[in-house]
Amino acid sequence: MDILRLTSPPPQGSIATFDSVVISDEWLGDCHVDYLVPDGSGDTNEWLGSDGNSVDNYLLVNEVPPSGVQFVEADGEDLLDLYTVTNLPASGEILAVEQVISAWKAGPNPQFPLNYVLKTPGGTAKLEGPDLIATMQNYTGGIKLLNPEGNPWSVADINSLQIGVTSEAL
């Protein structure tokens, strides 16, 4: 392939989004994407929710699409917020995991970093997050081909997975 051009001239004020574009010499075969959303509080809940507390923060970040009205925010450094996710609806081989969040910078200066966290019973991976801007954007934590222990992902890994964010500098 010499060129790939994705275009969609959006109307004034809207955003065109393309998702799950794969360019490869080898096709992945019969596969699909499962979107898993937070469904419970994880091991640690230290970020402040838009409801004024740190209880059940997953209820503030499980909207699809995100509203921007409910949110969690770091009000200090080195804080962690984890959420359990819905179980994988099918069994089979898992090729990769990608974490997607919607975020924005609330003040004029970046106060604390935003970094991604993936936690399984065997380990925790912290991934460098994006530089935030003042308007809500979707950011991805990169595609992880291996679980935090360095092994291929399994259904058991996914069904015990906790995802989250940290204001810890990496």
Side-chain angles (χ1 to χ4, degrees):
M1 175 184 297
D2 293 330
I3 188 168
L4 172 67
R5 185 174 294 142
L6 301 175
T7 61
S8 175
Q12 189 73 19
S14 65
I15 298 172
T17 302
F18 297 93
D19 187 14
S20 301
V21 176
V22 177
I23 302 173
S24 175
D25 291 337
E26 298 179 26
W27 179 243
L28 301 175
D30 184 21
C31 64
H32 63 276
V33 175
D34 287 313
Y35 295 94
L36 308 179
V37 296
D39 69 348
S41 295
D43 292 342
T44 306
N45 301 110
E46 298 174 333
W47 285 40
L48 180 64
S50 56
D51 58 359
N53 62 56
S54 296
V55 179
D56 293 334
N57 279 350
Y58 76 95
L59 293 171
L60 305 173
V61 297
N62 65 352
E63 301 166 312
V64 179
S67 70
V69 175
Q70 296 179 321
F71 55 87
V72 295
E73 62 184 339
D75 58 355
E77 292 183 69
D78 298 331
L79 299 178
L80 177 64
D81 220 37
L82 292 173
Y83 323 106
T84 60
V85 293
T86 52
N87 281 343
L88 196 61
S91 62
E93 181 182 10
I94 299 164
L95 301 176
V97 170
E98 181 178 36
Q99 186 174 356
V100 179
I101 63 169
S102 294
W104 66 94
K105 180 172 61 172
N109 300 313
Q111 298 152 341
F112 310 109
L114 170 69
N115 295 305
Y116 306 95
V117 179
L118 295 171
K119 181 179 181 184
T120 62
T124 301
K126 295 179 181 176
L127 311 166
E128 189 172 339
D131 291 328
L132 301 179
I133 62 173
T135 56
M136 186 168 66
Q137 300 288 321
N138 289 330
Y139 300 97
T140 65
I143 295 175
K144 297 293 291 175
L145 301 176
L146 302 175
N147 68 19
E149 300 85 50
N151 300 313
W153 288 96
S154 70
V155 173
D157 288 335
I158 301 300
N159 290 345
S160 63
L161 182 65
Q162 293 183 51
I163 61 171
V165 289
T166 181
S167 59
E168 173 187 353
L170 300 182

